[in-house]
Amino acid sequence: MQEMIAGTLHRMLHGMDLASILVGAFLFLLFVLFFTIGLRARGGFFRFLYFLLSVVFLFGIPPAIVYSSKYYFHKIEITYNHSRPLMYSNSFLIDIGFKNNGKLALNKCLITIIPKRKVQNLLNKIRDTLNPIVYISYPFSQKIPVGKSYEASKILPYQYKKYDFNFEINCR
C-alpha cells in the first residue's frame, strides 16, 4: 500500500510545473469568484446557479490541468516505439523516439511500464487502473526544445515478460 501511494505521489510531483500551477490557480480563482458571488446573490435560482458554476470550476481543475498539459503545453508525438520485454532475460528494452510538439520546452520525462493481469475481464481492468501489479519507471532529464526530436534507449529489470503491458511517456 505504501509503495502504491509513493508511486502515485512520485508521478504527481513529476507532473508539476509552472504552467500546471498557473492553470490550476486560474481555475481556483474562478471558483472563489463564483462562490463569493453565490454567497452575495439574491434569489434562490441565481444563488444555486453560481454555486453550481463554482463546483464545476472546482472539480474541473484536475482534468483541465491534465488536458492543457498533455495536449497543449507539453504535447509529444511518438515517432517510433520498439519497446518490448526481452525474450531470454528478465529485462525490458525501452527504445523510443519522440518529438516535442508542445508550446514549452521539455526538461524531464518519465517512461512507465505497467504490466496487466493475465486474465482481462472488467474486474481486472479496474484493478489494473486502481492498483496495478507493479510500476517500472525510467525518469530522465534532458532539455528538448520545441520542435526537436529525442531518442531514448534503456534496458530495465523486468520480471513480467509473459504479461501484456501498458507503456506511458510523460514529459514536462
Side-chain angles (χ1 to χ4, degrees), residues 2-127:
Q2 290 177 345
E3 294 87 20
M4 182 179 77
I5 293 170
T8 302
L9 285 175
H10 180 261
R11 284 181 293 142
M12 270 179 28
L13 292 176
H14 174 76
M16 295 302 293
D17 62 338
L18 184 60
S20 301
I21 292 170
L22 290 176
V23 168
F26 175 72
L27 290 174
F28 185 74
L29 286 175
L30 286 175
F31 158 73
V32 170
L33 175 73
F34 281 106
F35 187 79
T36 306
I37 292 173
L39 290 175
R40 310 282 272 154
R42 297 190 189 270
F45 175 73
F46 289 112
R47 182 172 284 191
F48 174 74
L49 181 66
Y50 284 120
F51 281 134
L52 182 66
L53 284 174
S54 69
V55 168
V56 167
F57 280 116
L58 182 65
F59 288 116
I61 291 173
I65 289 173
V66 169
Y67 184 82
S68 66
S69 180
K70 192 171 187 175
Y71 296 108
Y72 186 73
F73 294 121
H74 306 292
K75 184 178 180 181
I76 61 171
E77 173 190 352
I78 296 177
T79 55
Y80 74 90
N81 183 6
H82 300 294
S83 303
R84 65 191 181 281
L86 296 177
M87 185 175 288
Y88 296 112
S89 68
N90 289 332
S91 51
F92 193 94
L93 170 68
I94 295 174
D95 186 18
I96 189 168
F98 58 92
K99 182 178 178 182
N100 180 3
N101 287 339
K103 304 296 182 199
L104 300 173
L106 304 175
N107 294 320
K108 56 185 176 178
C109 293
L110 179 69
I111 298 174
T112 307
I113 302 120
I114 305 167
K116 297 183 196 176
R117 289 175 169 79
K118 288 190 177 185
V119 177
Q120 284 297 306
N121 55 24
L122 181 61
L123 182 62
N124 281 343
K125 287 181 183 179
I126 293 170
R127 283 182 186 156

